[in-house]
Amino acid sequence: MGKNKNNQPIWNTRIKKETKNLFKKVGGSIEIDKRLFREDIEASIVHVEMLFRQKIINFKIKNKIVWGLNRIKNEIIKKKFIFDEKLEDIHMNIENRLFELIGEEAGYIHTARSRNDQVVTDFKMWLRKANKEIVKNIDFTIKNILKKAEKNVETIMPGFTHLKNAQPVSFAHYLMAYLEMFNRDKKRFNNNLESLNENPLGAAALTGTSFKIDRFYTSKKLGFHRPTKNSIDTVSDRDFVIDFLYSCSACAVHISRIAEEFIIWNSDAFKLINLNDKIVTGSSIMPQKKNPDPLEYLRGKTGFMFGNLFSMLTTLKGLPLSYFKDLQDDKEIVFKSFDQLKNSLIILNDVLKNFSPDKKRMIELAESGYITATDLADYMVRELNYPFRKAYLQTAKIINFAEKNKKKLSELTLKEINKIEKGLTADVLKVFELKKSVNSKVSYGGTSFDNIKKMILSYKRNKYD
Ligand code: ARG
């Protein structure tokens, strides 16, 4: 593509002075948006094919352009392409090279389109793949959780509320709670594909075009379901970007929560899980240390992900229609969130493969804190026909007694219990068994072993996808 008299690139033809150097450097985006080269070339090829079908350009020119574009694609793949910062972005870099390869006729490529519709088209196509790639990685996470859960259905640990011992649960049940979160994330990313279904190409700068283009043809060829409906909205809409960034943030929250949970469980105070040497790091001064750095990294990077979502929301807030330079930042933000989330999921998967529960310690901890108190209250409701509130009060009295006498509930004798609640027989003592407590939670979604086994099986058969 030639320069004009003012030594300016072609899209600056009427601008008489050269752009200030610093802005020329920071205003461009080629270092970032070169990641869109495949999508840009694919969309350009479909665009010129459509122009030819609609008799807007002739066969010879169409073929020349397609040949040139394919060649450029190979040059970029083989790293022979020289990206020029002065040419601002991927679209101008490719167009410029097309001029070098086929001459003047390259200029037909930009008939009936603008960089404004071109860039959203490329970006939506890229995001379609990105959403699928993230779903693939979440699937690995789900599989890893399932594997661990399967081995730990009968591993009993204390379930917590307020981080205080609450009721005994199966460790698998705890893990499967995270599976639910990641399954919702997966759905969220899959749902994003819906907002990526409309084809922006043909909206041109903002008004559409006077050429008789066929937007339904380009939609079909580029894998969109239909063309967008309003050309002004098309070039200014970045809702699909927010959807993606929000989905990344929500997924990062889940990663952060499991990371934090594992940090606590791995602490010397809890000691509920052991981390394999592959996922810990040492200290430069304290030789004994094995720190859960990867988990802290996962928790830490969540803030970065929120930041990206907020950057984009802030860019869009108060932005009039239609295209503005502000929007150029969308790609940097999205690429960063995508790369980060993908790395985080890979690291989380390493963690899931390289930790083990300390089953003995789990039971030990579950035996403290009067964790079967609710089971005792429920027992009184059933056996003595008490209203739950009365059973609750009687149970509280029994706990007070045990606490005063420094005993666990399971260490109380029937005689001691009868002093507070006469109606109970020796059968009550079974209520304090942890395994019995866990297996009594048979309500749908509860922690009984059978429930969990069924749930695992359904997920393994992809029943809940
Ligand atoms: N590089 C620009 C971006 O990413 C492409 C669109 C440029 N359009 C314009 N009118 N300057 O947003």
Side-chain angles (χ1 to χ4, degrees), residues 21 79 116 167 173 252 254 261 286 403 415 449:
N21 269 337
K79 301 204 183 326
N116 296 355
Q167 296 182 14
H173 199 50
H254 300 146
E261 193 115 60
M286 297 169 281
E403 199 173 43
K415 218 170 139 198
F449 295 166

Side-chain angles (χ1 to χ4, degrees), residues 11 27-30 33 36 88-91 114-120 205 238 323-331:
W11 72 99
S29 56
I30 185 61
D33 60 27
L36 295 177
E88 211 176 298
D89 57 24
I90 185 66
H91 323 292
S114 149
R115 270 189 299 164
N116 296 355
D117 59 339
Q118 191 180 353
V119 72
V120 241
R238 295 295 184 276
Y323 177 84
F324 289 89
K325 183 80 170 171
D326 312 41
L327 294 173
Q328 181 168 281
D329 282 343
D330 58 358
K331 287 167 291 298

Side-chain angles (χ1 to χ4, degrees), residues 2 36 86 111 206 218 224 235 318 331 334 342 350 403 441:
L36 295 177
K86 287 198 247 35
T111 316
L206 79 161
T218 54
F224 292 101
V235 293
K331 287 167 291 298
V334 162
K342 197 174 153 190
D350 279 341
E403 199 173 43
K441 309 295 161 40

Side-chain angles (χ1 to χ4, degrees), residues 198-433:
E198 295 196 336
N199 173 23
L201 197 61
L206 79 161
T207 57
T209 172
S210 55
F211 292 98
K212 276 203 147 133
I213 59 171
D214 184 351
R215 296 190 65 208
F216 290 88
Y217 172 83
T218 54
S219 298
K220 200 167 149 227
K221 288 282 164 184
L222 294 174
F224 292 101
H225 289 186
R226 53 193 167 265
T228 52
K229 298 180 191 74
N230 179 297
S231 57
I232 305 179
D233 174 56
T234 302
V235 293
S236 60
D237 167 35
R238 295 295 184 276
D239 290 358
F240 62 95
V241 174
I242 296 172
D243 290 344
F244 181 76
L245 295 172
Y246 170 69
S247 308
C248 290
S249 296
C251 187
V253 169
H254 300 146
I255 294 174
S256 181
R257 289 182 78 170
I258 196 168
E260 169 67 2
E261 193 115 60
F262 279 21
I263 290 166
I264 294 172
W265 291 355
N266 179 246
S267 70
D268 292 319
F270 274 73
K271 288 190 188 143
L272 291 181
I273 58 169
N274 299 309
L275 305 180
N276 184 308
D277 278 1
K278 285 186 197 159
I279 50 163
V280 291
T281 57
S283 151
S284 61
I285 178 171
M286 297 169 281
Q288 85 282 13
K289 288 301 274 303
K290 286 189 176 183
N291 292 327
D293 273 31
L295 289 167
E296 292 163 19
Y297 167 92
L298 293 176
R299 184 180 56 189
K301 287 297 177 193
T302 307
F304 172 88
M305 218 77 87
F306 296 172
N308 291 343
L309 171 63
F310 270 83
S311 295
M312 195 64 219
L313 288 168
T314 313
T315 295
L316 294 174
K317 174 190 171 294
L319 199 68
L321 298 175
S322 57
Y323 177 84
F324 289 89
K325 183 80 170 171
D326 312 41
L327 294 173
Q328 181 168 281
D329 282 343
D330 58 358
K331 287 167 291 298
E332 182 173 5
I333 293 170
V334 162
F335 293 159
K336 278 183 179 166
S337 275
F338 170 80
D339 291 341
Q340 185 56 55
L341 185 62
K342 197 174 153 190
N343 283 345
S344 292
L345 284 165
I346 292 171
I347 293 172
L348 175 64
N349 283 329
D350 279 341
V351 170
L352 289 168
K353 283 187 210 149
N354 287 293
F355 87 95
S356 54
D358 184 333
K359 299 185 186 184
K360 231 179 96 209
R361 171 72 188 139
M362 282 183 168
I363 291 276
E364 206 178 283
L365 192 60
E367 271 165 355
S368 66
Y370 309 107
I371 203 166
T372 46
T374 320
D375 299 282
L376 177 56
D378 286 352
Y379 181 85
M380 286 190 216
V381 169
R382 259 193 310 269
E383 299 299 318
L384 307 178
N385 228 344
Y386 282 176
F388 182 78
R389 278 289 161 242
K390 181 172 176 185
Y392 177 100
L393 279 176
Q394 289 302 83
T395 305
K397 282 184 201 161
I398 293 173
I399 294 169
N400 284 344
F401 175 85
E403 199 173 43
K404 217 163 136 194
N405 292 281
K406 299 201 169 25
K407 283 185 164 191
K408 296 178 183 167
L409 285 179
S410 57
E411 288 165 355
L412 294 176
T413 62
L414 180 63
K415 218 170 139 198
E416 286 167 329
I417 293 172
N418 282 153
K419 265 192 224 158
I420 298 159
E421 181 48 69
K422 280 198 284 303
L424 294 171
T425 64
D427 185 54
V428 70
L429 301 174
K430 286 190 218 146
V431 156
F432 304 123
E433 282 169 37

